[in-house]
Amino acid sequence: MKANCTNPEWIGRSKCAVCDVRNFVLFAGLSVDELNAILQPIDNLHVPQHSVLYEQGEPAPNLFTVRSGLIKLKVDLSNGCQRIVRLLRPGDVAGMETLVGERYHHTAIALQTADVCRIPRDVVIRLDQTNSRVHQALLRRWQNSVDQADHFITALSTGPAEARMARLLITLGCTGDQPEAMPTREDMGALLGITTETASRIMAEFRRRGLIQTDRGGELVCDHAGLALLANG
Amino acid sequence: MKANCTNPEWIGRSKCAVCDVRNFVLFAGLSVDELNAILQPIDNLHVPQHSVLYEQGEPAPNLFTVRSGLIKLKVDLSNGCQRIVRLLRPGDVAGMETLVGERYHHTAIALQTADVCRIPRDVVIRLDQTNSRVHQALLRRWQNSVDQADHFITALSTGPAEARMARLLITLGCTGDQPEAMPTREDMGALLGITTETASRIMAEFRRRGLIQTDRGGELVCDHAGLALLANG
DNA sequence: CGTTATGTTGACCTCCTTCAAAGGCTGTGG
DNA sequence: CCACAGCCTTTGAAGGAGGTCAACATAACG
C-alpha cells in the first residue's frame, strides 16, 4: 500500500480536487479552497488484491473512502469461520465506526485491487462539525451502511442458496465487469452463509442452465432476467 | 396509540425532563431549558402489542425513540415472506432513515406493548445542526443500527438453526423478563430465517434438554452457559 | 517440475422444509 | 356454562436441500 498524496513529488494533491468520485464521497460539499486546506493529512493508497486494509479489533485512527476496486468487510466468528457483512464499492466509506468508537469492527480486505483515500478520523470529525454539507454526506453514508447491511440480511441470508446466489450475482451487477470482479467461491460462501462446495455447485449449475457464461475475455455474462426469476422464486 | 405530551393536561412534559431513558437517547446533551424549548412538538405514544408504528414505504415525517417495550423492524420480501432485520429496545431509535430520505425502509411493529416518543424529523435535523452533543448522539445511534444489523448477519443468520436460536435467546437476555417478552415462534422464524415449525421444534428440544424452563410465573428461565456452548459450537 | 491454492464433482448423511394433523388456549356467542 | 371458532404451538412423516468428507482437476507460482 503505497502512499501518494502526502508525497511532495506526487501530483495527486491537485488531482484530488478533480477526483472522479469526489462528488459521491464525503467532501462533495467543499470548495476547492476548503479542500486544499484539509488535504494535507490525506493519503491516497493503492491496495493490491487480497491485502488487508485494517483488522478487526485494531485501534482505528483512520477511515477510508473507496475510489476504485472492491473491498470486503468480514467478521471472524467464534467457531473459526468468517462471514462477509458488506461489500464496499467506489464512493463507499470504510471504518466509519472510528468516528464514535476506538476500534474497527471488521477486517477490511481488497477483493479487487483498490484505490482508497485514508483520512484521519480527526479531520473528518472536525469537518463534520464545521461544514454542514460534509455532515449531511456523512449521515447519508451511514444510512448507506445500514441499508446495505439490511440487504445482506434480506437478500443474501434469506431463502434457499440458489435464490441467494442469484441475488448476489444481480447485486454484483456482473455484466461488463473485468474478470477479477467476481469473488472466489469461498468468498461467495462467506457472503451467503453457505459452504464453498455449495457455492461451486450452484455456479456450475447456473452455467449448465445458461444463466451465466464466461466470455472469451474471461468476463462473466449473466442472464439478468433469468436470475431475477430465481431471486424472486 | 394515545398521544400524551402535547396534551396540555398531561404532566408528561415535565416528566420528559426526568425521563429515565433520556440519558440513553438523543437528547442526552440538552439542558432542561433547551429541552423545554423543543418539547412542544414531541408526542409520547403508547403502542399496544402488535400495533403498527409505521409502514415500509410510507412517507416518513417522524422518528421514534423507544422508552419501553420491544419493537421489531420487518421487511416484506418479494416472495411474500417477511424477515425481521432489527429489534429495538428502550433507548433505541426507529426511523432514522427519515433524516436523509423520504420514506421508511421497514415496517415497525410492537412485539411487546411499548412506550415511544414521536419526534418530527425537522426537530431532530435542527437540533443535529445546532447542538453538537445531540449530533454526536445521533452518530452513535446510527452506528448502533449498523452494529445490530451486523449482529443479525453474523449471529442470527449464520450456522445451523439450533446455534442461531441459542444466540437469539442469549441476545434477548431471556432471564427475568416478563412472560410476553418472548416473541412468537413465527417471529423467531422471521428473526432467524427459518420456518415456524423448525423454531418450534428447536424450542421444544431445548426444553427437553433443560436449557430453558417456563417458570410458574410463565417467565422463561435460560441456562445461559448451556446456550452459549451451543452458540459457539 | 513439484507445490499450493482454487474449482469441481461424487457419495453420503444430516438438517431443514413441506405438508398435514392434532392439541392447547382464548374469546365469543348461544 | 358449554360449544365453537380462531390462533398459536406441537408433532409426525416424507422429501429435498445443503453440509461433510474425500477425490480429482486445474491453474498459478516458486
Side-chain angles (χ1 to χ4, degrees), chain A residues 75-131:
Chain A
V75 172
D76 293 309
L77 304 176
S78 53
N79 55 15
C81 298
Q82 51 191 43
R83 185 89 202 248
I84 298 174
V85 298
R86 227 153 296 147
L87 289 177
L88 304 182
R89 287 188 267 205
D92 287 332
V93 180
M96 273 189 304
E97 59 266 36
T98 193
L99 297 179
V100 296
E102 295 189 339
R103 292 173 182 280
Y104 292 118
H105 291 184
H106 318 99
T107 298
I109 300 177
L111 224 57
Q112 302 164 23
T113 301
D115 193 21
V116 307
C117 286
R118 180 179 60 194
I119 314 172
R121 48 172 286 179
D122 298 331
V123 169
V124 179
I125 289 177
R126 183 153 30 89
L127 275 175
D128 171 49
Q129 288 168 348
T130 57
N131 186 301

Side-chain angles (χ1 to χ4, degrees), chain B residues 10 13 17 40 49 57 61 66 68 73 82 88 92 118 163 182:
Chain B
W10 192 62
R13 196 173 303 181
Q40 189 61 29
Q49 196 174 21
V66 181
S68 72
L73 299 188
Q82 52 191 40
L88 304 183
D92 287 333
R118 181 178 61 194
M182 204 44 50

